[in-house]
């Protein structure tokens, strides 16, 4: 963990318990030294045992620095955590980090178990029709594009909304924090927690379609999909903006619905379709990047609003980019491209250096991907962001890497038509002991680590990629949008030790943060099994209406399925929330003199 430089302001009880004249030598150590140099070296089981010593250690072991350290060890996508300006204040809002660590451990146990199950399901009515959705890391916020049609005489209204999921674990309810009117439907929605000019923010980006001048009303945009060939009639506009986390917390506290955001960029129209929109970091600078099809990368600096363009060299006039990922540590970008030669589609993984140029650039790394044959889609897992945030930010940040620490691999998922299957490729980081991972893309990486064939299914299989726990769901196309017939966990065996970058010094299997018994081996079995214990009443909701979108957060183990009409939102939780001990509240008030 990064060194915490916040000024210390411990409550009175801790000041009276930890001082240089104490009879216990351990209590003579300054609190900052005790936490940063001793407690951060202990295991989670040791911390929980230390919590039982007495009231002072019970309070001290709730310090958020300790739990951010454990969260970093989980290698999960990074949420926003409230951070008190002072250390050791034991603020109730800082308990979210400890709660999420416990929840993520329960999700891991559930995900790797023989029978993965849902532990809680909530369904509630919602007056919006959803198109796209992002369940943010931590499972507390949802960002979605939606529409509302009040009556046949009134035109549809389109929005980008932010929901906060609040309430007790057995009765969660959504609270709307932002309702941004976009005038037209939003496409390619992306959202990410980022630091903008040092302030934690929720950054959102999306694309809208507008008629070109002279083509107004030439086609009915509601009758076309985004991928249809309508470039002769429309321009593609992309928008990027943010809401500070402070504003979101104030809106949640005061039950206010915001109607505006801080618009960063509202870009002019592009003649070509915009795809593969991503948000990320480059040289500690927040950026947004997208592909202007077929082969041009655009990168925008979200601090200075400057832009760069990088056209890709194309071996064929019929080529397009299918997926994109920023390689933050290497200052490069990785793209999956498809090109058509003599009527046959070929696929490749290509890596490019960031160069602001008008001359088409060849890739610095080119690796053919997959076999001949049609692929419906390619997906790349997103980074955890653990190495993207600077020190002294309210996000977990790693600096001291344990020996042989394995950075999460990059997963590439290819959905294949013949045979109908999921192909999973892994790209491992080369440097185990560094703060920032470096990935070596080479041909040996692109032998499928696992393949799951579902040729016998009578429905389509969709996947939401993730760092460690991708979610798979079956959709039956009996209606315009299809219905969800099953939710499945995807858990492959991470094999292929002959390609290990450390010559087998470290296992590819990720060790758990908590072991349940001394003889535990923690070797998962390759499986793609249904998530059980979902009530039949919930699946009846799915079957009675079309499914508009599915969201998934692997950190909290929360699935969100939106259906309609009638428009409903269903939350499926793979773990329970823990609540703060009542003793913590009582003793914290006593130590503060209340």
């Amino acid at each position: 963990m990064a060194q915490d430089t916040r000024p210390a302001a411990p409550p009175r009880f801790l000041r009276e318990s930890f001082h240089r004249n104490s009879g216990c030598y351990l209590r003579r150590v300054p609190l900052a030294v005790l936490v940063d140099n001793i407690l951060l070296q202990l295991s989670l089981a040791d911390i929980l045992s230390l919590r039982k010593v007495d009231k002072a250690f019970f309070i001290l072991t709730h310090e958020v620095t300790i739990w951010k350290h454990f969260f970093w060890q989980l290698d999960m996508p990074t949420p926003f955590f409230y951070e008190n300006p002072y250390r050791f204040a034991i603020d109730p809002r800082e308990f979210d980090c400890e709660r999420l660590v416990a929840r993520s451990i329960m999700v891991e146990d559930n995900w790797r178990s023989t029978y993965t199950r849902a532990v809680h399901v909530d369904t509630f009515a919602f007056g919006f029709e959803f198109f796209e959705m992002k369940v943010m890391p931590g499972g507390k916020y949802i960002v979605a594009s939606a529409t509302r049609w009040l009556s046949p005489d009134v035109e549809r209204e389109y929005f980008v909304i932010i929901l906060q999921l609040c309430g007790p674990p057995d009765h969660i309810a959504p609270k709307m924090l932002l309702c941004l009117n976009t005038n037209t439907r939003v496409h390619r929605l992306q959202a990410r927690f980022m630091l903008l000019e040092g302030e934690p923010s929720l950054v959102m980006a999306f694309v809208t379609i507008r008629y070109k001048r002279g083509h107004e009303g030439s086609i009915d945009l509601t009758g076309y999909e985004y991928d249809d060939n309508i470039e002769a009639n429309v321009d593609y506009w992309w928008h990027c903006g943010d809401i500070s986390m402070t504003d979101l917390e104030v809106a949640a506290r005061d039950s206010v619905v915001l109607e505006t955001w801080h618009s960063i960029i509202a870009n002019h129209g592009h003649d070509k379709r915009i795809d593969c929109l991503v948000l990320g970091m480059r040289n500690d600078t927040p950026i947004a990047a997208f592909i202007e099809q077929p082969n041009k990368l655009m990168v925008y600096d979200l601090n200075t609003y400057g832009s760069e363009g990088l056209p890709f060299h194309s071996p064929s006039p019929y080529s397009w980019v299918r997926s994109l990922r920023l390689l933050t540590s290497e200052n490069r970008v990785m793209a999956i491209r498809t090109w058509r030669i003599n009527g046959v589609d070929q696929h490749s993984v290509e890596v490019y250096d960031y160069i602001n140029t008008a001359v088409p650039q060849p890739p610095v790394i080119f690796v053919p991907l997959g076999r001949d044959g049609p692929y419906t889609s390619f997906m790349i897992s997103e980074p955890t962001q653990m190495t993207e945030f600077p020190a002294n930010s309210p996000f977990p940040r790693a600096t001291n890497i344990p020996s042989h620490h394995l950075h999460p691999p990059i997963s590439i998922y290819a959905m294949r038509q013949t045979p109908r299957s999921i192909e999973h490729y892994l790209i491992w980081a080369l440097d185990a002991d560094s703060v920032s991972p470096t990935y070596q893309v080479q041909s040996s990486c692109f032998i499928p680590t696992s393949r799951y064939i579902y040729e016998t299914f009578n429905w389509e299989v969709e996947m939401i990629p993730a760092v460690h726990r991708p979610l798979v769901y079956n959709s039956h196309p009996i209606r315009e949008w299809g219905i969800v017939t099953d939710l499945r966990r995807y858990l492959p065996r991470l094999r292929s030790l002959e390609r290990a970058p450390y010559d087998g010094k470290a296992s590819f299997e990720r060790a758990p943060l908590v072991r349940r018994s001394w003889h535990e081996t923690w070797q998962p079995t390759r499986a793609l099994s249904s998530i059980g214990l979902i009530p039949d009443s919930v699946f009846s909701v799915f079957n009675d209406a079309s499914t508009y979108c599915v969201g998934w957060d692997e950190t909290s183990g929360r699935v969100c399925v939106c259906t309609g009409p009638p428009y409903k939102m269903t939350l499926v939780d793979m773990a329970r929330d823990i609540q703060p001990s009542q003793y913590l509240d009582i003793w914290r008030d006593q130590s503060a003199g209340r």
Side-chain angles (χ1 to χ4, degrees):
M1 283 288 297
Q3 189 69 28
D4 197 331
T5 59
R6 291 177 297 161
R12 184 185 63 191
F13 183 79
L14 287 185
R15 294 197 305 269
E16 294 174 351
S17 301
F18 294 89
H19 56 84
R20 58 185 177 182
N21 296 322
S22 174
C24 174
Y25 286 104
L26 186 60
R27 295 180 188 273
R28 298 179 184 180
V29 179
L31 283 177
V33 177
L34 177 61
V35 170
D36 295 340
N37 298 89
I38 298 178
L39 298 190
L40 291 188
Q41 306 303 320
L42 302 181
S43 67
L44 180 56
D46 293 334
I47 292 295
L48 297 180
S49 297
L50 188 62
R51 179 171 291 182
K52 301 176 183 178
V53 172
D54 61 10
K55 183 191 302 186
F57 278 106
F58 181 89
I59 295 176
L60 184 62
T61 51
H62 284 88
E63 163 61 23
V64 69
T65 306
I66 300 172
W67 294 98
K68 283 189 176 182
H69 174 71
F70 286 132
F71 183 85
W72 168 79
Q73 294 184 38
L74 293 173
D75 274 332
M76 284 292 152
T78 306
F80 167 78
F81 293 124
Y82 171 81
E83 188 170 76
N84 194 289
Y86 300 97
R87 293 195 71 182
F88 312 113
I90 317 298
D91 192 306
R93 290 173 290 182
E94 294 184 314
F95 183 76
D96 283 348
C97 185
E98 181 176 344
R99 175 194 61 82
L100 192 56
V101 169
R103 183 180 176 114
S104 191
I105 291 172
M106 286 188 274
V107 175
E108 185 82 351
D109 286 344
N110 193 357
W111 204 256
R112 292 173 179 262
S113 66
T114 304
Y115 301 102
T116 304
R117 65 192 185 280
V119 300
H120 187 75
V121 179
D122 264 320
T123 299
F124 37 82
F126 206 76
F128 287 83
E129 174 186 337
F130 288 82
F131 298 117
E132 298 178 64
M133 173 190 299
K134 292 276 290 186
V135 182
M136 302 304 296
K140 185 177 180 180
Y141 297 98
I142 292 177
V143 180
S145 64
T147 185
R148 182 172 58 188
W149 200 359
L150 299 179
S151 69
D153 300 329
V154 179
E155 292 187 0
R156 283 177 177 262
E157 295 179 298
Y158 295 90
F159 305 93
V160 169
I161 63 176
I162 297 178
L163 302 176
Q164 183 189 55
L165 302 178
C166 51
D170 58 342
H171 189 68
I172 301 174
K175 177 187 290 186
M176 184 175 294
L177 304 182
L178 172 72
C179 188
L180 178 68
N181 194 325
T182 58
N183 298 318
T184 184
R185 180 177 169 179
V186 163
H187 304 271
R188 303 300 192 259
L189 176 68
Q190 290 293 320
R192 193 179 180 97
F193 292 120
M194 304 179 76
L195 284 177
L196 293 183
E197 299 180 352
E199 183 175 12
S201 303
L202 177 52
V203 180
M204 296 161 286
F206 54 85
V207 182
T208 58
I209 301 176
R210 302 183 187 180
Y211 290 110
K212 289 183 177 179
R213 182 174 298 178
H215 290 266
E216 292 81 357
S218 57
I219 59 175
D220 181 8
L221 292 181
T222 61
Y224 285 83
E225 295 297 326
Y226 185 79
D227 294 329
D228 290 341
N229 185 18
I230 55 176
E231 295 176 355
N233 304 82
V234 300
D235 285 330
Y236 297 86
W237 291 62
W238 86 277
H239 311 259
C240 186
D242 74 285
I243 299 288
S244 72
M245 298 308 299
T246 301
D247 290 342
L248 285 181
E249 291 180 342
V250 171
R253 182 195 64 200
D254 299 340
S255 298
V256 174
V257 179
L258 304 175
E259 296 182 354
T260 59
W261 66 345
H262 172 228
S263 179
I264 301 174
I265 297 174
N267 198 257
H268 60 82
H270 292 255
D271 291 335
K272 303 297 183 180
R273 190 173 72 247
I274 295 175
D275 272 329
C276 308
L277 181 59
V278 294
L279 299 168
M281 301 290 290
R282 185 180 71 173
N283 299 329
D284 295 330
T285 300
I287 62 172
F290 59 82
I291 295 295
E292 187 181 88
Q293 295 287 17
N295 295 300
K296 186 177 182 180
L297 172 70
M298 298 296 299
V299 180
Y300 285 80
D301 187 319
L302 300 185
N303 282 340
T304 65
Y305 315 137
S307 64
E308 300 176 3
L310 173 61
F312 296 161
H313 172 72
S314 177
S316 167
Y318 303 101
S319 65
W320 61 99
V321 177
R322 307 287 293 273
S323 191
L324 193 70
R325 162 141 175 181
L326 305 178
L327 303 178
T328 303
S329 304
E330 304 161 63
N331 201 24
R332 289 177 169 178
V333 61
M334 180 171 66
I336 298 179
R337 283 212 298 174
T338 298
W339 67 92
R340 186 166 298 161
I341 300 178
N342 297 327
V344 179
D345 288 348
Q346 304 291 330
H347 317 281
S348 63
V349 175
E350 304 171 8
V351 177
Y352 293 85
D353 288 324
Y354 284 114
I355 301 175
N356 188 15
T357 178
V359 180
Q361 295 296 309
V364 294
I365 299 174
F366 176 92
V367 179
L369 175 64
R371 300 171 175 83
D372 294 338
Y375 286 84
T376 57
S377 63
F378 295 93
M379 293 164 284
I380 308 177
S381 62
E382 296 182 355
T384 64
Q385 297 181 262
M386 284 294 189
T387 61
E388 295 184 3
F389 298 116
N392 302 320
S393 73
F395 301 98
R397 162 74 181 183
T399 54
N400 299 320
I401 305 297
S403 178
H404 301 308
H405 170 76
L406 281 175
H407 291 285
I410 296 175
S411 288
I412 296 178
Y413 305 97
M415 311 299 286
R416 185 178 172 88
Q417 279 190 341
T418 309
R420 297 169 64 194
S421 58
I422 301 172
E423 292 182 359
H424 183 194
Y425 304 84
L426 289 172
I427 305 175
W428 293 94
L430 293 179
D431 37 3
D433 301 329
S434 69
V435 174
S436 300
T438 300
Y439 295 94
Q440 179 62 47
V441 181
Q442 52 192 6
S443 57
S444 61
C445 300
F446 293 101
I447 300 173
T449 301
S450 59
R451 175 182 295 158
Y452 183 81
I453 298 177
Y454 53 92
E455 187 72 35
T456 57
F457 287 9
N458 295 322
W459 46 77
E460 295 298 323
V461 171
E462 306 289 343
M463 172 177 279
I464 302 178
V467 178
H468 297 292
R469 297 191 281 259
L471 179 75
V472 172
Y473 60 95
N474 301 330
S475 60
H476 199 299
I478 63 175
R479 294 188 178 90
E480 178 183 1
W481 292 85
I483 63 173
V484 169
T485 60
D486 200 4
L487 296 174
R488 293 174 175 262
R489 64 101 185 262
Y490 176 68
L491 182 65
R493 182 181 295 278
L494 307 182
R495 56 182 177 81
S496 307
L497 286 176
E498 66 273 13
R499 294 196 299 276
Y502 323 110
D503 299 324
K505 292 180 181 179
S507 171
F508 271 2
E509 300 293 352
R510 210 164 52 96
L513 193 60
V514 175
R515 291 188 177 275
R516 304 306 181 196
S517 59
W518 64 270
H519 61 275
E520 182 177 346
T521 58
W522 206 261
Q523 296 294 324
T525 303
R526 174 186 173 190
L528 198 154
S529 59
S530 296
I531 296 172
L533 300 185
I534 299 179
D536 291 338
S537 58
V538 172
F539 278 113
S540 68
V541 172
F542 297 164
N543 293 330
D544 291 342
S546 298
T547 300
Y548 286 91
C549 57
V550 179
W552 163 243
D553 169 42
E554 63 172 320
T555 306
S556 61
R558 174 163 287 167
V559 187
C560 184
V561 182
C562 293
T563 58
Y567 302 119
K568 294 185 178 181
M569 177 182 292
T570 300
L571 295 179
V572 180
D573 284 329
M574 310 295 294
R576 298 189 185 277
D577 267 335
I578 64 170
Q579 297 301 304
S581 168
Q582 59 178 345
Y583 295 106
L584 176 62
D585 294 331
I586 296 172
W587 291 344
R588 182 181 57 245
D589 292 343
Q590 291 176 350
S591 65
R594 293 192 289 268

